[in-house]
Amino acid sequence: MLQEAIYTNYGIQLDRREVSMRYEIFRSGDTVYTVIPISEIDEEELMERLKLSQFMISQGDAYVSSFVMSKHGTYVSLNGDKKFLLLANQRLEESRPYKMGKKLAKFHARGRMFAEPVKKTNRIGKWKELWEKRMDQMEAVWREKMHSHPSNDFERLFVDSFPYYMALGENAIQYLVDTEIDQDPQGFDAATICHERFTNDLWVGNYCVKNPFDWVIDHAGRDLAEWIRQHYLQHIHTHQPGIGQFADEYRSLSEPSSFGWRLTYARLLFPVHYFETIEEYYVNGSETRKKILEEQLEKYTNQSSYYEEFLRRFFESVRVPAKKLQIIKVDWL
């Protein structure tokens, strides 16, 4: 039992389990503990995440999780034959979603001061390579389904819609390449601590927990784009006020460069929400979840014209003077 393994390895008596969609979280006194399952130990990656955590705590971020050392002098412990490690958050406070843009700007400003080189968590300058690899892998699956013929409604939707999203992805890559050729990065564009996928949900809940296992080193536009993408998908017809407010809040502390806004836009052009839906369908064994993913895919494909309109009006939504900043728009939108 996990609670027993935590007591055995760390001497911590847990009071209760907290509701969480992502990790197992427990409360003990005034401390919240997050359990991180470790399938394969990559010492280099663990060390990078430990250093990132320690750095952000040293910069005064009270919501960053710290690594808990076991009684055996290691961070990784065993629960039966399964490895895990424990993160702790001492400061408890109900988190509220207001001024998320300002909070993110402050987080990025601190993260830019992290000076140590990283390898495993580094994503800066790698978008083109990663996007091309993702598209190639999905195209291989699409071709296989084309030849074997779709076996259900999801696969029929996938086969029919993929060429459109492939073209959208290619446009995103071209826009990214053009941005890197046309404009020079500024101070804002230095690598910082970002998130694999930044959404409102990460910092909103009973407790604000900033988990270093959510982080990567990348351009700040990654987080801006992913928060905006999620907000749009959740509020397709009413997204503009929230996105405008988020951008204004962010700018109140940190003004993105024109290069930065173009990277943000390139990321929104790349339809990662579509790719993730397809990828999850083929690795998830739950029929209930597969049905949800089928409905999600149908929604995305049926509303593709709305997404094009969102992209067309993006710079207006974030109140960025694209013409003044010489930000090129995609001509086919």
Side-chain angles (χ1 to χ4, degrees), residues 3 23-24 26 91 95 115-116 208 210 245 255 290 313 326:
Q3 289 96 317
Y23 294 105
E24 290 199 79
F26 298 90
R91 182 174 176 178
S95 178
E116 290 196 47
C208 182
K210 297 181 180 179
Q245 181 182 343
E255 182 67 50
K290 282 179 182 288
R313 302 186 62 182
Q326 297 181 312

Side-chain angles (χ1 to χ4, degrees), residues 134 195-199 202 214 222 226 267 272 276:
R134 199 166 196 170
H195 301 76
E196 190 71 44
R197 188 76 72 249
F198 185 69
T199 67
L202 283 186
D214 292 332
R222 180 191 191 104
E226 296 310 330
R267 195 165 185 92
V272 71
E276 284 181 339

Side-chain angles (χ1 to χ4, degrees), residues 142-173:
W142 176 72
R143 290 190 181 281
E144 189 272 321
K145 296 301 175 187
M146 283 275 287
H147 291 136
S148 63
H149 301 296
S151 60
N152 55 39
D153 289 341
F154 182 93
E155 291 192 345
R156 278 187 282 276
L157 269 173
F158 169 41
V159 166
D160 290 344
S161 62
F162 179 71
Y164 168 82
Y165 286 96
M166 177 81 164
L168 197 57
E170 288 170 346
N171 269 268
I173 290 170

Side-chain angles (χ1 to χ4, degrees), residues 279-297:
E279 290 161 353
E280 186 182 346
Y281 183 88
Y282 285 111
V283 299
N284 199 303
S286 163
E287 288 304 317
T288 302
R289 182 61 184 161
K290 282 179 182 288
K291 186 62 182 173
I292 292 170
L293 291 166
E294 181 184 322
E295 291 170 358
Q296 191 167 288
L297 182 63

Side-chain angles (χ1 to χ4, degrees), residues 153-280:
D153 289 341
F154 182 93
E155 291 192 345
R156 278 187 282 276
L157 269 173
F158 169 41
V159 166
D160 290 344
S161 62
F162 179 71
Y164 168 82
Y165 286 96
M166 177 81 164
L168 197 57
E170 288 170 346
N171 269 268
I173 290 170
Q174 189 58 54
Y175 192 88
L176 174 67
V177 170
D178 289 346
T179 296
E180 292 172 342
I181 292 170
D182 294 345
Q183 292 188 301
D184 295 323
Q186 306 299 316
F188 171 84
D189 303 303
T192 186
I193 300 174
C194 292
H195 301 76
E196 190 71 44
R197 188 76 72 249
F198 185 69
T199 67
N200 230 34
D201 306 332
L202 283 186
W203 293 353
V204 175
N206 290 334
Y207 314 110
C208 182
V209 171
K210 297 181 180 179
N211 186 332
F213 283 84
D214 292 332
W215 300 348
V216 291
I217 297 296
D218 208 339
H219 186 281
R222 180 191 191 104
D223 284 349
L224 290 171
E226 296 310 330
W227 187 96
I228 289 168
R229 188 197 308 274
Q230 187 214 34
H231 185 85
Y232 165 80
L233 292 172
Q234 290 181 342
H235 309 277
I236 287 177
H237 300 294
T238 57
H239 61 273
Q240 287 183 320
I243 290 174
Q245 181 182 343
F246 173 76
D248 286 345
E249 289 169 4
Y250 192 94
R251 271 196 299 262
S252 72
L253 284 185
S254 181
E255 182 67 50
S257 65
S258 56
F259 181 91
W261 279 122
R262 284 186 65 169
L263 281 197
T264 301
Y265 190 60
R267 195 165 185 92
L268 288 168
L269 273 174
F270 189 79
V272 71
H273 52 290
Y274 173 87
F275 284 90
E276 284 181 339
T277 302
I278 306 293
E279 290 161 353
E280 186 182 346

Side-chain angles (χ1 to χ4, degrees), residues 2-15 26-29 31 33 68-71 86-88:
L2 183 55
Q3 289 96 317
E4 292 176 3
I6 290 172
Y7 182 74
T8 300
N9 286 283
Y10 300 92
I12 298 167
Q13 188 72 52
L14 301 173
D15 298 336
F26 298 90
R27 175 89 178 261
S28 179
T31 305
Y33 293 99
V68 182
M69 182 77 76
S70 74
K71 293 190 292 185
L86 207 58
L87 302 177

